[in-house]
Amino acid sequence: MAGDTLRLPVHPISGNFSRNRPQTPPLSVFSTRRGSFASRYGHSPAPRSDFFGNSCVRLKSVVPISRNGMRKVSPFVSMAAPEESKRVVALEDYRNIGIMAHIDAGKTTTTERVLFYTGRNYKIGEVHEGTATMDWMEQEQERGITITSAATTTFWDKHRINIIDTPGHVDFTLEVERALRVLDGAICLFDSVAGVEPQSETVWRQADRYGVPRICFVNKMDRLGANFFRTRDMIIENLGANPLVLQIPIGAEDTFKGIVDIVKMKAVVWSGEELGAKFAYEDIPSDLVDIAQEYRMSMLETIVELDDDVMEKYLEGIEPDEKTIKSIIRKGTISAKFVPVLCGSAFKNKGVQPLLDAVVDYLPSPIDVPPMKGTDPDDPEIIIERGANDEEPFSGLAFKIMGDTFVGSLTFVRVYSGKLTAGSYVLNANKGKKERIGRLLEMHANSREDVKTAVAGDIVALAGLKSTITGETLCDPDKPIVLERMDFPDPVIKVAIEPKTKADIDKMAVGLIKLAQEDPSFHFSRDEEINQTIIEGMGELHLEIIVDRLKREHKVEANVGAPQVNYRESISKISEVKYIHKKQSGGAGQFADITVRFEPMEPGSGYEFKSEIKGGAVPKEYIPGVIKGLEECMNNGVLAGYPVVDVCAALVDGNYHDVDSSILAFQLAARGAFRDGMRKAGPRILEPIMRVEVITPEEHLGDVIGDLNSRRGHISTFGDKPGGLKVVDSLVPLAEMFQYVSTLRGMTKGRASYSMQLSKFDVVPQHIQNQIANKDEPVTAS
Ligand SMILES: Nc1nc2c(ncn2[C@@H]2O[C@H](COP(=O)(O)OP(=O)(O)OP(=O)(O)O)[C@@H](O)[C@H]2O)c(=O)[nH]1
């Protein structure tokens, strides 16, 4: 065992340990502007909780909520006896995609347009044009429902496109993670005025980590200050990406008319701004011919690099034809050599159809991405691969659970391999339990449909699963596999909550259990010391929504305390301790002797265990006891009981007794060594530091900066934004950011907005550490 290393990567958000793939930092984006939801859908956003004081946070959802607080389902439910299902769409014609963006970039608007154009296309089988119909408005709400379903199936040009929902607000960063875990490709939307915004950067990096191929859509080309080329430059500078410009805009702001298609070398011009406005291919306007040529040349030079034959011909002066160009662009997009960049205005209905064409042309199908990896449930060392193929054994991942008025709850599953049939039994490989598949539902833009079978590549909603939660694998009971699990961020804030009446105690418990099943980034626990229930989440808005859902869906009125930060603990120097656990009381004794060295590690490294035992000083069979004892303690630091991060524990020496030693004795010795060792290693408390970006009119700049400074903030940069706005980038401890949204609104008369995301964990100042360690509330500026 000497030299063996067990490394548990620390979660960048939670600081907890996991063997799964890396995750994203959490973000929180708040805006002091009012949302447009109410006006568009005739609904009010969820009522605000006073407890967090962020009454002006923009909540946007397009899920109509019924009186009982559950999501309403479409009346267009097809209950017809399902036909024997077979594969209707070839696997290579599937696109499982997500649309990702910074808050307000136009994700919902674009999704609505996509559903409109694809819905019509699906119904009447025509492509690339649309006509607004009166009844569309009546169906808008149903479309709204499915936009926020976990996934919506739609069709374009004979391709089946599953659009997987990625919500805007980053307190729900987990949702982005879930989506990334099951999608094969993504559209990244940018606001052409704001360019690459902080959350765009974050989702971009998330997509990088998951290796998700993507295309960019520079939206809002009709807005005052729109600048396609500046956004293209920001894609290079801020994201370090290699954009491949495939369209350039014709006009901008109120003169935006359409695009020049660099592949076809044609102008695409829309005749109006209404939904379904027709478009036509025209000659490129004379003032754009030169620049279009320039981009065409640059595009060709980039893509010919990927194909020797094409390159050879190109050097001889023969340009590849459209089909060849598209197939190379597809290859380069899937292998992340470059990212196609398109543009348009979803709001003015310009550019959406070419965007859909690009999804079909350039984003991968399930067979273009690497096979899904998993492990044998009985032996995690055995790696199993499942290719996207109907003939392979069934495997699928449950990625979202959602309450539903009619069927109780829906479990969304991405089928990776094989077939899933209604009425059959599958194995939940994580729990080792069988689940009966009752109903299989396919969610469409304006309907949900019972289907009998789901095949590889499909995304379906299962009704009535009993024990499966988000992130678990369903598979063929005879060919079990545990697919790479989704890793969930641990909460960064918590509040105490209690029901207003005693009668609500049980209802609250039931509600919390249900909400936690749906949302793995939400935790709750009972603090017996203070006799209170603690709820934990990713941000103030996240917990506000939980409290609101308790009220609306579970009819529990609750009092909520002030939010508090979930800190982490670490060490500042090396310590080495010898600990002997010895007990002799009548029967068999307990003996374990270990020496453990604790060393600080780089920020973000998590916790690592090493065994440096030589000559069997601690026999192999007892080492798991040491590992277990230390791991248990790592969730409970010596200063204030927070999770311990960035620490390496090395078992360097020890001793044992032939009769009295056991795994348990070594486990207990490890706990003792942890207590003593950590105290000697200069323990310290770390706090989440947020990167906060405030965009404010210049006249409020001084106030904004002064306020950030008073919150222990460090200003990193200033800059200008279009429209005479100033942008301030800063690093501020999360503990100082509670209720910032209301302060900012008050200070700037609602004219500023801000976004924040986790930057790092850093050591708290000593006086605050003392307060936290003494369980006092740290003093905050707000
Ligand atoms: N001028 C203009 N406005 C747009 C365009 N697309 C969206 N908008 C507007 O921008 C605002 C935000 O658009 P949404 O579609 O709600 O943006 P989102 O990315 O879904 O926002 P979140 O879900 O809150 O992150 C709305 O008022 C839209 O009407 C566009 O192409 N041009």
Side-chain angles (χ1 to χ4, degrees):
M1 187 89 185
D4 280 1
T5 298
L6 171 71
R7 192 184 172 91
L8 298 178
V10 70
H11 192 290
I13 309 169
S14 65
N16 272 6
F17 319 114
S18 144
R19 289 162 214 267
N20 297 330
R21 42 178 166 174
Q23 293 295 301
T24 176
L27 311 167
S28 289
V29 172
F30 300 87
S31 163
T32 56
R33 285 162 286 155
R34 279 260 174 218
S36 56
F37 172 82
S39 57
R40 275 186 290 161
Y41 292 96
H43 288 268
S44 298
R48 313 284 191 260
S49 159
D50 287 333
F51 305 112
F52 305 105
N54 48 359
S55 58
C56 60
V57 166
R58 180 178 168 225
L59 290 182
K60 192 169 60 94
S61 158
V62 286
V63 186
I65 303 288
S66 67
R67 263 187 230 108
N68 69 0
M70 303 290 275
R71 288 165 182 84
K72 259 177 27 185
V73 291
S74 158
F76 300 95
V77 180
S78 155
M79 294 294 187
E83 293 189 5
E84 189 60 51
S85 283
K86 51 186 185 306
R87 175 167 289 287
V88 230
V89 178
L91 250 174
E92 58 265 34
D93 293 338
Y94 272 59
R95 299 289 179 273
N96 284 320
I97 62 155
I99 303 183
M100 322 182 109
H102 186 90
I103 195 161
D104 270 1
K107 189 171 69 69
T108 308
T109 311
T110 308
T111 310
E112 278 176 1
R113 271 40 174 195
V114 164
L115 293 180
F116 173 78
Y117 290 110
T118 57
R120 182 169 190 283
N121 178 36
Y122 180 47
K123 265 187 249 157
I124 65 168
E126 287 176 14
V127 288
H128 300 194
E129 62 160 2
T131 315
T133 56
M134 289 309 288
D135 68 349
W136 182 80
M137 287 313 288
E138 288 168 22
Q139 293 173 12
E140 194 178 25
Q141 287 202 341
E142 283 75 44
R143 290 170 193 281
I145 295 164
T146 47
I147 291 167
T148 352
S149 296
T152 301
T153 300
T154 187
F155 290 82
W156 183 252
D157 201 8
K158 302 193 187 72
H159 286 70
R160 179 185 171 112
I161 302 178
N162 290 317
I163 303 173
I164 298 147
D165 186 34
T166 66
H169 201 291
V170 284
D171 265 18
F172 309 104
T173 184
L174 168 77
E175 301 279 337
V176 179
E177 291 290 329
R178 306 187 212 236
L180 281 164
R181 177 68 175 74
V182 295
L183 51 71
D184 298 325
I187 301 171
C188 280
L189 277 194
F190 300 98
D191 174 339
S192 64
V193 180
V196 175
E197 297 172 89
Q199 198 195 340
S200 325
E201 276 186 45
T202 305
V203 291
W204 191 273
R205 312 249 174 267
Q206 281 175 281
D208 277 348
R209 277 204 298 277
Y210 282 86
V212 173
R214 63 215 92 142
I215 51 184
C216 297
F217 183 68
V218 180
N219 188 32
K220 303 200 184 183
M221 279 308 302
D222 61 299
R223 268 189 71 196
L224 193 66
N227 191 330
F228 172 78
F229 299 102
R230 185 182 55 223
T231 307
R232 189 272 327 259
D233 291 346
M234 288 176 87
I235 292 173
I236 302 171
E237 283 154 24
N238 298 19
L239 304 176
N242 182 15
L244 185 74
V245 173
L246 299 185
Q247 295 175 351
I248 55 170
I250 303 176
E253 306 178 342
D254 55 357
T255 65
F256 177 66
K257 290 203 304 192
I259 51 133
V260 174
D261 181 329
I262 298 294
V263 175
K264 289 188 196 302
M265 282 307 266
K266 280 280 172 199
V268 188
V269 177
W270 277 261
S271 59
E273 296 184 340
E274 73 282 4
L275 258 178
K278 293 217 162 69
F279 64 88
Y281 283 95
E282 297 176 0
D283 287 339
I284 299 173
S286 54
D287 59 327
L288 290 178
V289 170
D290 286 350
I291 182 166
Q293 286 291 5
E294 217 177 277
Y295 275 98
R296 164 106 179 162
M297 184 102 80
S298 153
M299 181 265 288
L300 287 174
E301 280 171 7
T302 306
I303 66 163
V304 294
E305 299 265 343
L306 301 187
D307 190 307
D308 290 347
D309 291 347
V310 176
M311 165 77 106
E312 215 168 285
K313 286 194 186 128
Y314 183 70
L315 293 176
E316 287 164 13
I318 306 167
E319 282 194 4
D321 60 16
E322 187 182 326
K323 197 170 159 214
T324 312
I325 293 177
K326 283 187 173 169
S327 88
I328 308 178
I329 296 177
R330 177 176 182 78
K331 199 160 105 184
T333 308
I334 293 172
S335 57
K337 292 276 186 305
F338 43 69
V339 196
V341 182
L342 319 176
C343 62
S345 162
F347 186 60
K348 302 278 167 123
N349 300 295
K350 292 173 183 166
V352 178
Q353 299 95 331
L355 175 64
L356 280 161
D357 287 342
V359 166
V360 162
D361 289 338
Y362 308 131
L363 288 181
S365 77
I367 51 174
D368 297 318
V369 295
M372 202 55 209
K373 280 205 170 88
T375 52
D376 185 325
D378 295 327
D379 185 353
E381 300 291 309
I382 300 177
I383 307 289
I384 306 173
E385 277 194 358
R386 288 280 157 80
N389 186 335
D390 299 345
E391 305 317 317
E392 293 236 1
F394 163 68
S395 67
L397 190 83
F399 66 94
K400 179 157 176 163
I401 294 175
M402 207 172 81
D404 185 275
T405 317
F406 289 113
V407 292
S409 77
L410 288 172
T411 308
F412 283 82
V413 172
R414 156 90 199 243
V415 181
Y416 283 100
S417 60
K419 290 181 184 165
L420 180 63
T421 313
S424 66
Y425 282 87
V426 294
L427 179 73
N428 174 327
N430 300 85
K431 295 210 166 91
K433 278 191 180 166
K434 282 202 179 167
E435 287 265 28
R436 183 171 183 278
I437 305 301
R439 285 171 66 187
L440 287 176
L441 296 167
E442 217 170 60
M443 313 296 268
H444 289 281
N446 54 6
S447 66
R448 46 170 60 185
E449 187 187 349
D450 271 274
V451 290
K452 195 167 185 189
T453 307
V455 287
D458 278 345
I459 290 183
V460 280
L462 309 183
L465 292 195
K466 296 268 182 298
S467 55
T468 300
I469 58 165
T470 303
E472 291 184 335
T473 302
L474 296 176
C475 61
D476 181 340
D478 295 328
K479 302 271 182 203
I481 179 173
V482 177
L483 295 173
E484 223 171 67
R485 225 189 133 102
M486 294 164 85
D487 189 17
F488 304 119
D490 264 11
V492 287
I493 73 162
K494 59 184 178 182
V495 297
I497 178 171
E498 59 185 352
K500 282 190 179 156
T501 67
K502 284 223 157 89
D504 280 347
I505 291 178
D506 289 347
K507 267 202 282 177
M508 185 170 95
V510 171
L512 291 175
I513 289 170
K514 284 214 162 137
L515 291 167
Q517 269 169 356
E518 276 185 33
D519 176 359
S521 65
F522 163 66
H523 295 190
F524 71 94
S525 57
R526 185 93 195 132
D527 189 328
E528 298 300 344
E529 240 175 72
I530 51 170
N531 197 26
Q532 266 178 334
T533 300
I534 307 292
I535 58 172
E536 299 174 50
M538 302 311 301
E540 287 175 279
L541 180 62
H542 187 196
L543 293 184
E544 184 187 345
I545 298 284
I546 294 284
V547 172
D548 181 57
R549 289 188 64 191
L550 267 181
K551 187 169 151 191
R552 288 155 59 109
E553 294 169 30
H554 301 279
K555 309 282 174 281
V556 180
E557 296 277 352
N559 292 322
V560 184
Q564 290 174 29
V565 173
N566 268 348
Y567 295 93
R568 307 282 181 265
E569 296 190 24
S570 193
I571 53 174
S572 53
K573 57 184 184 192
I574 297 176
S575 74
E576 191 169 296
V577 288
K578 180 178 171 69
Y579 193 92
I580 301 175
H581 174 75
K582 199 171 174 184
K583 227 173 178 183
Q584 201 69 57
S585 52
Q590 287 182 8
F591 180 85
D593 170 359
I594 53 172
T595 301
V596 182
R597 189 179 67 241
F598 294 92
E599 290 169 34
M601 291 202 299
E602 286 295 302
S605 355
Y607 159 61
E608 189 176 304
F609 171 80
K610 279 197 287 199
S611 170
E612 295 175 4
I613 292 294
K614 291 190 186 80
V618 175
K620 244 181 172 178
E621 64 263 34
Y622 297 140
I623 290 179
V626 179
I627 294 174
K628 191 161 180 228
L630 288 171
E631 263 183 31
E632 282 164 356
C633 295
M634 289 294 164
N635 280 325
N636 241 320
V638 292
L639 285 175
Y642 289 106
V644 178
V645 294
D646 309 334
V647 169
C648 173
L651 176 62
V652 291
D653 202 0
N655 206 347
Y656 67 102
H657 186 273
D658 282 339
V659 179
D660 291 347
S661 284
S662 64
I663 291 187
L664 178 66
F666 275 92
Q667 189 178 334
L668 295 171
R671 287 181 178 199
F674 174 86
R675 274 194 308 273
D676 293 358
M678 293 296 285
R679 285 209 183 94
K680 282 189 184 168
R684 52 199 197 160
I685 293 180
L686 309 180
E687 64 180 338
I689 305 290
M690 312 304 282
R691 178 184 159 195
V692 180
E693 188 194 83
V694 184
I695 299 175
T696 174
E698 189 165 8
E699 66 209 79
H700 301 298
L701 186 64
D703 291 342
V704 167
I705 291 172
D707 177 68
L708 288 171
N709 283 331
S710 75
R711 293 170 187 268
R712 297 196 275 131
H714 291 282
I715 311 294
S716 346
T717 54
F718 297 105
D720 293 307
K721 282 266 169 186
L725 296 171
K726 294 282 172 193
V727 54
V728 184
D729 225 325
S730 59
L731 292 173
V732 192
L734 175 63
E736 307 289 340
M737 288 304 290
F738 294 139
Q739 301 184 6
Y740 182 62
V741 70
S742 23
T743 311
L744 185 65
R745 184 186 45 171
M747 214 159 39
T748 64
K749 302 188 178 66
R751 294 175 62 207
S753 63
Y754 82 105
S755 65
M756 69 176 185
Q757 64 189 77
L758 183 71
S759 167
K760 57 182 176 180
F761 275 83
D762 210 349
V763 182
V764 301
Q766 188 62 45
H767 69 284
I768 296 182
Q769 170 157 319
N770 294 344
Q771 288 165 9
I772 300 168
N774 295 328
K775 300 256 184 209
D776 294 339
E777 284 277 311
V779 181
T780 61
S782 45

